[in-house]
């Protein structure tokens, strides 16, 4: 007799839901939350460390929170580090809801940002990348792709898997045998090699977003196979229930019985499986963008922001380029897994 798994504390699930809400709200409000345009670059601002916030000027006079204009100096040939040159004569106060780079949300245009400066100095909370682009702004805009790709994958994968698995389990016979052989063939296709092959044959004129969405759509047509097998097994047991047989005796069609009485009973498993499947798409996007098969520069995503991690000197000299996107990927994946485990504990019919 196997020992039952102890449920997660409710606080863990609450924290997971809270983190996901925070991440998705940040993605939705990236236009005004990001202090700068994620595509604007400055040659003399490349690889700047996170901005240091001051409260007093060099003479000790209180000015409130402010930053100073900085730029990259000459490189030190011995250490490989660059000297950061600061202009101490131009303090730039930090302000809330300041005028900045214009943006457009649907048909509404705006130029207000939650946090910014009112002087020549710029606030780079997480530093800048090798092109002089604000790292924090790119993280916020990149979350739109990295977080939405999981939802797109689930929306494409699950309806097909549920319908095909339901038909195979309820009709049985040669229909079941044919569908299951197709499922077994699809499950033998290695996803990574398929993605590499697809990336090589895609037309070069596609934008990076269109390119990756096309890859997600194609791989989703393969990933439904595992879900279809599970749904088939549940339908095989559900079709023998009394209420299904009673509806069948009353003249209900097979399709009506499947959609009205059988598939809704699998909803608990589908919700849990969808929650646990989203992290796999997030990780897939990160891996593909990291190796250059997904979102391409200059469009930001958490994966292609991590591509700088392939350079050992970046890891040692500019760690602020690596840990923020890596941390967000880990947090998002853990939050989805915790929420999925929590839903499994709460919706388990044996509890």
């Amino acid at each position: 007799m196997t020992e039952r798994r102890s449920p997660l504390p409710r606080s863990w699930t609450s924290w997971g839901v809270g983190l996901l809400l925070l991440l998705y709200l940040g993605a939705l409000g990236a236009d005004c939350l990001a202090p700068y345009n994620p595509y604007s670059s400055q040659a003399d601002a490349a690889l700047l460390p996170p901005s240091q916030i001051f409260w007093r000027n060099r003479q000790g006079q209180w000015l409130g929170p402010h930053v100073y204009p900085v730029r990259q100096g000459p490189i030190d040939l011995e250490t490989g580090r660059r000297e950061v040159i600061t202009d101490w004569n131009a303090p730039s106060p930090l302000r809330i809801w300041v005028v900045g780079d214009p943006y457009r949300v649907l048909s509404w245009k705006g130029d207000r940002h939650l946090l910014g400066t009112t002087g020549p100095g710029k606030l780079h909370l997480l530093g800048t990348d090798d092109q002089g682009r604000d790292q924090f702004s790119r993280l916020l805009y990149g979350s739109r792709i990295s977080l939405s790709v999981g939802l797109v994958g689930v929306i494409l994968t699950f309806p097909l898997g549920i319908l095909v698995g339901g038909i195979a389990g309820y009709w049985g016979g040669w229909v079941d045998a044919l569908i299951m052989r197709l499922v077994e063939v699809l499950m033998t296709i290695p996803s990574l090699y398929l993605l590499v092959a697809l990336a090589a044959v895609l037309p070069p004129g596609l934008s990076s977003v269109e390119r990756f969405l096309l890859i997600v759509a194609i791989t989703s047509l393969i990933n439904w196979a595992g879900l279809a097998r599970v749904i088939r097994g549940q339908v095989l047991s559900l079709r023998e229930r009394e209420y299904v047989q009673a509806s069948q005796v009353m003249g209900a069609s097979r399709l009506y019985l499947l959609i009205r009485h059988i598939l809704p009973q699998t909803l608990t498993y589908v919700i849990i499986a969808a929650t646990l499947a989203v992290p796999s798409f997030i990780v897939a996007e990160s891996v593909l963008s990291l190796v250059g098969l997904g979102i391409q520069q200059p469009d930001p995503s958490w994966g292609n922001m991590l591509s700088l991690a392939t350079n050992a000197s970046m890891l040692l000299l500019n760690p602020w380029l690596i840990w923020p996107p890596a941390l967000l990927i880990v947090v998002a994946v853990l939050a989805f897994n915790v929420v999925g485990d929590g839903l499994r504990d709460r919706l388990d019919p044996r509890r």
Side-chain angles (χ1 to χ4, degrees), residues 147 151 285 350:
L147 292 176
L151 301 180
E285 183 275 329
R350 295 172 299 175

Side-chain angles (χ1 to χ4, degrees), residues 32-170:
C32 65
L33 293 177
Y36 304 108
N37 189 320
Y39 299 98
S40 60
S41 60
Q42 292 179 305
D44 60 347
L47 299 178
L48 288 175
S51 298
Q52 184 176 357
I53 299 176
F54 298 87
W55 298 85
R56 299 178 182 271
N57 61 12
R58 301 284 284 180
Q59 293 75 33
Q61 181 183 2
W62 175 268
L63 297 181
H66 64 280
V67 297
Y68 292 94
V70 295
R71 60 184 177 86
Q72 285 284 17
I75 189 171
D76 188 339
L77 298 179
E78 294 183 0
T79 63
R81 299 182 181 273
R82 288 181 177 271
E83 178 188 1
V84 178
I85 301 174
T86 304
D87 183 3
W88 300 105
N89 297 318
S92 303
L94 301 184
R95 294 292 183 267
I96 296 176
W97 209 241
V98 297
V99 177
D101 296 327
Y103 54 84
R104 184 186 185 114
V105 180
L106 298 178
S107 60
W108 180 74
K109 297 180 179 179
D111 58 2
R112 293 282 179 172
H113 297 264
L114 180 63
L115 189 63
T117 61
T118 57
K122 291 190 174 183
L123 176 66
H124 299 298
L125 293 174
L126 297 175
T128 61
D129 63 4
D130 56 342
Q131 301 295 323
R133 299 169 297 202
D134 183 63
Q135 188 80 341
F136 179 70
S137 300
R138 291 180 63 78
L139 273 179
L140 287 174
Y141 278 89
S143 64
R144 291 181 168 178
I145 293 176
S146 297
L147 292 176
S148 62
V149 70
L151 301 180
V152 173
V154 167
I155 290 173
L156 294 177
T157 301
F158 274 61
L160 182 59
I162 293 170
L163 183 59
V164 173
I167 292 174
Y170 189 75

Side-chain angles (χ1 to χ4, degrees), residues 146 149-150 191-192 195 212 215-216 219 223 277-291 293-295 303 329 333:
S146 297
V149 70
S191 300
L192 181 60
L195 292 174
F212 190 76
I215 292 176
V216 171
T219 53
N223 291 335
V278 172
S280 64
F281 285 97
I282 295 178
V283 174
E285 183 275 329
S286 303
V287 172
L288 290 175
S289 298
L290 175 63
V291 299
L293 300 178
I295 304 300
I329 292 173
V333 170

Side-chain angles (χ1 to χ4, degrees), residues 101-285:
D101 296 327
Y103 54 84
R104 184 186 185 114
V105 180
L106 298 178
S107 60
W108 180 74
K109 297 180 179 179
D111 58 2
R112 293 282 179 172
H113 297 264
L114 180 63
L115 189 63
T117 61
T118 57
K122 291 190 174 183
L123 176 66
H124 299 298
L125 293 174
L126 297 175
T128 61
D129 63 4
D130 56 342
Q131 301 295 323
R133 299 169 297 202
D134 183 63
Q135 188 80 341
F136 179 70
S137 300
R138 291 180 63 78
L139 273 179
L140 287 174
Y141 278 89
S143 64
R144 291 181 168 178
I145 293 176
S146 297
L147 292 176
S148 62
V149 70
L151 301 180
V152 173
V154 167
I155 290 173
L156 294 177
T157 301
F158 274 61
L160 182 59
I162 293 170
L163 183 59
V164 173
I167 292 174
Y170 189 75
W171 260 260
W174 67 269
V175 175
D176 182 21
L178 179 63
I179 292 178
M180 286 301 102
R181 299 298 81 75
L182 175 62
V183 166
E184 291 169 359
V185 170
L186 292 177
M187 293 181 69
T188 60
I189 300 177
S191 300
L192 181 60
Y193 295 112
L194 176 64
L195 292 174
V196 173
L198 289 175
V201 300
L202 288 179
L206 294 176
S207 67
S208 59
V209 177
E210 293 172 341
R211 180 187 182 92
F212 190 76
L213 288 179
L214 183 58
I215 292 176
V216 171
I218 296 174
T219 53
S220 297
L221 297 178
I222 297 175
N223 291 335
W224 60 266
L227 176 66
R229 287 179 64 92
V230 178
I231 296 298
R232 169 187 174 271
Q234 294 188 352
V235 171
L236 286 174
S237 62
L238 289 171
R239 70 179 184 179
E240 304 299 331
R241 299 289 178 89
E242 292 80 359
Y243 60 87
V244 175
Q245 295 181 357
S247 298
Q248 190 173 6
V249 171
M250 294 175 64
S253 65
R254 287 186 172 184
L255 185 61
Y256 175 83
L257 289 172
L258 180 65
I259 297 177
R260 179 65 178 84
H261 292 293
I262 296 179
L263 289 183
Q265 301 301 317
T266 67
L267 187 60
T268 298
Y269 171 80
V270 169
I271 294 175
I272 298 170
T275 307
L276 296 174
V278 172
S280 64
F281 285 97
I282 295 178
V283 174
E285 183 275 329

Side-chain angles (χ1 to χ4, degrees), residues 267-269 271-272 340-351:
L267 187 60
T268 298
Y269 171 80
I271 294 175
I272 298 170
D341 286 341
L343 288 175
R344 180 168 54 195
D345 293 334
R346 305 298 177 262
L347 300 178
D348 189 352
R350 295 172 299 175
R351 292 182 57 82

